[in-house]
Each structure stands twice: as C-alpha cells, then as structure tokens.
Amino acid sequence: MECLFAVVNAKRCQELRLELHNRQLLHPKLRSVKHCDEVGIPVKENATGDIDVQCLDDGSFVLNGIPFCIVQKKLYMPYPTVQRLMQVVEALMRSKGLWQENLVAEIPTSWEKYGDLLLFNSNKYFKNPAWCEAGPELWTNVCLVLNGNRVALKSHISPDGFRTPNVQLMWGESTWVDCVDNGIKYSWDVTKSMYSAGNASERHRVARFRCDGEVVVDMYAGIGYFTLPYLVHAGALLVHACEWNPDAVIALRKNLIQNDAGGRCIVHEGDNQKVLLNVAYEIESSKFMAYRKIEMSSIAM
C-alpha cells in the first residue's frame, strides 16, 4: 500500500494538520509518522492539486505560509492497530477464562495519548468487571500494542466548579504528562487539570497576534492555554494570568518556567471576579507611575 505524506517540521505540524483538515485533504485512516524533527502527515492523492497549495521551483510546497514536501511511501500494515489490539486483548481474556462476546464492544477503537500515557474513555471502554479480574497483565498488553507505559481511564467531568477531570490511573506511576503544541510545552496532571486539544486552532490564532509592548489580562487561564501563546509567540510585554483552581495554578507556574516566560507573567490566584479588581488597580497604578516618571523627567529638564 502506498500513500502520500506531507513532510513538515515538527514545530509546524499542528498548523499544517489544521490547514489540511479544513480543506478535507487529510487521509481518513492513516496516522502521522514522526522521524527526528520532522512529521509525515498522510494526505489524499489530490492534496497537491488544491487551489491553496503552491508548488515552488524546487518541488516543495507551501500552504498558507507553511512549507512542506510531499513524499510517497510504501506502507506495510498487516494489521491495523485497532485490529491488533482486539486480537491481543481477546486472546488474553480467553487464556484467563474471562472472555465474553459482549466484551468486543468495550475494546477501545479510539484513545488519547500524551507522551507514554494512554487515556481511554471508561464510559465506553473497559466497563465490565471482567476487565479488573484480568489484572495488570491486561494493561501491560495494551501498552505493548499501543507503545505506551501508563494507562488511565477517564469518566465524566466532576461538577465541582473547577471542571476537574475524573481520571483514574490504572497502570504506571506518575499522572503528569507533557504535550508540545506550536512550539510550546504544556505539562499537567491528568487527574487534576484538563487539556483541550480541540481549541488548538484558537491557540494558534492567538499566537499570530502582534502584541509587542501590550499588557494582556487572561481570565480563567488554566494551565496556560492562551497565556503562553501570548508570551511565547505574540510578544506580549506582560500577561496577568488569573486562575482560581489551585491545581491548574501549579501547572501554569511550571509551564511558564519551562517555556522561559515566567519573567513576563504575573499569576493571580483566586476568584477571577474578585482578582480582576486587583489586576485593574495594578495596571492603572503602573500607568500612573510611568506618567509621573515622564512628568518628573520633564521638570528636571
């Protein structure tokens, strides 16, 4: 089986994927392949013929300012990942005398992966008590097939006002995970904070703002979804990040440090409606001091 791959620098992978998705040019079944600092995104055969895709003299392509190359690669796929997972899990359950035909519907066909942590929706998958009876061997086999080292199950969001995830670690030790998006590294505890991959397009839009010299107030900043793009890419002079969830604040401070942005961000922890008054006072006070400095300099001259 042969497929076309759009090969792009890993730092711009999410941008290109979004552009291709919006134009319905992504391959519907295959997944991206990473090699060193490049990512190959599987695309449809008509990808290079799209009106927005420009072909350069050297044979490379550009889509909305994102450069990439097209390569044709032969794929050897004796078993798709989902099919292989089903075979391995069913064989294990049969060997333990735990197999039931209705368990087929509870073997995952989709999941989230953050680093080496596999996150499954427990409202759909692994619901039957028989899975627990299989013991740790179930999770080690799942990790082997999906190339992971940790397994967690998620359920409905907790109605605690913080939208705390209802996540249980089934295999592994640490619940902290990392994700790099648009050149920004995010870290968070999956059992205490949320990460929405679905708002990537908005994060990337914010990253394209020109905020040089501007002061930004980010309410309900979370782990830094938008605070970091303002600082790392948009060039904001200062960001006041307001967040009331203590666990999210811990992740936010960690993310500011690991992206070298802590010096240009003030974190305000507490009820955002109350904190906002303090933020407004600080901003106005800093303006007043700046005006006074200019005024005194004028008098001295």
Side-chain angles (χ1 to χ4, degrees):
M1 175 183 177
E2 292 189 342
C3 178
L4 294 181
F5 284 83
V7 180
V8 63
N9 186 285
K11 292 182 178 180
R12 308 204 67 179
C13 171
Q14 294 294 342
E15 291 181 75
L16 182 59
R17 179 189 295 279
L18 182 63
E19 295 290 345
L20 293 168
H21 172 75
N22 291 340
R23 292 168 176 79
Q24 298 183 343
L25 297 176
L26 289 175
H27 195 286
K29 296 182 179 180
L30 301 180
R31 293 190 174 188
S32 299
V33 178
K34 185 174 182 180
H35 179 69
C36 297
D37 60 346
E38 292 184 323
V39 176
I41 304 174
V43 296
K44 296 179 179 178
E45 292 184 1
N46 64 335
T48 57
D50 187 270
I51 190 171
D52 295 325
V53 176
Q54 297 176 302
C55 182
L56 304 182
D57 293 338
D58 61 359
S60 62
F61 298 87
V62 174
L63 175 57
N64 199 16
I66 308 170
F68 64 96
C69 296
I70 290 288
V71 299
Q72 190 166 8
K73 184 177 178 63
K74 196 166 187 177
L75 302 178
Y76 296 93
M77 301 171 60
Y79 298 103
T81 303
V82 172
Q83 183 179 348
R84 195 163 84 253
L85 179 63
M86 288 187 171
Q87 291 177 338
V88 169
V89 169
E90 180 179 340
L92 172 67
M93 296 298 280
R94 286 186 182 279
S95 70
K96 293 178 173 292
L98 296 171
W99 180 250
Q100 307 167 28
E101 291 303 323
N102 62 333
L103 292 180
V104 172
E106 295 186 19
I107 299 177
T109 57
S110 62
W111 52 87
E112 298 172 53
K113 188 176 183 182
Y114 301 107
D116 65 352
L117 186 141
L118 301 160
L119 185 59
F120 300 103
N121 185 347
S122 64
N123 297 315
K124 294 175 60 178
Y125 308 125
F126 299 124
K127 297 187 297 180
N128 195 296
W131 299 115
C132 294
E133 295 181 45
E137 195 174 352
L138 169 64
W139 308 123
T140 56
N141 274 269
V142 169
C143 286
L144 184 64
V145 174
L146 301 181
N147 192 28
N149 289 316
R150 296 175 289 167
V151 176
L153 301 180
K154 69 174 183 177
S155 185
H156 297 294
I157 301 297
S158 301
D160 58 0
F162 293 142
R163 291 182 57 77
T164 303
N166 189 353
V167 174
Q168 181 180 5
L169 188 67
M170 307 303 295
W171 181 252
E173 296 181 1
S174 174
T175 53
W176 277 82
V177 296
D178 301 317
C179 174
V180 177
D181 176 60
N182 200 18
I184 298 173
K185 184 178 181 180
Y186 297 90
S187 299
W188 71 100
D189 186 332
V190 292
T191 65
K192 297 179 179 179
S193 300
M194 292 180 59
Y195 176 83
S196 177
N199 63 22
S201 59
E202 185 64 13
R203 288 198 301 270
H204 296 174
R205 188 179 74 88
V206 168
R208 292 193 292 269
F209 289 171
R210 296 315 323 147
C211 300
D212 304 80
E214 294 188 19
V215 176
V216 177
V217 178
D218 184 11
M219 297 182 66
Y220 304 98
I223 66 171
Y225 309 107
F226 300 109
T227 294
L228 289 166
Y230 272 117
L231 292 167
V232 176
H233 295 305
L237 175 67
L238 177 68
V239 174
H240 290 272
C242 309
E243 176 54 46
W244 71 324
N245 184 341
D247 294 312
V249 169
I250 292 173
L252 171 60
R253 294 187 189 278
K254 178 181 177 67
N255 291 330
L256 288 168
I257 292 172
Q258 66 186 8
N259 287 283
D260 297 321
R264 292 185 292 125
C265 181
I266 300 175
V267 178
H268 302 270
E269 184 175 354
D271 186 327
N272 280 212
Q273 296 182 20
K274 297 177 181 178
V275 163
L276 189 58
L277 295 176
N278 296 331
V279 174
Y281 176 78
E282 286 187 27
I283 293 175
E284 289 304 315
S285 296
S286 63
K287 286 182 181 178
F288 175 75
M289 293 301 295
Y291 292 149
R292 286 292 295 166
K293 200 169 185 179
I294 295 173
E295 191 177 278
M296 294 301 292
S297 299
S298 301
I299 293 174
M301 292 176 64

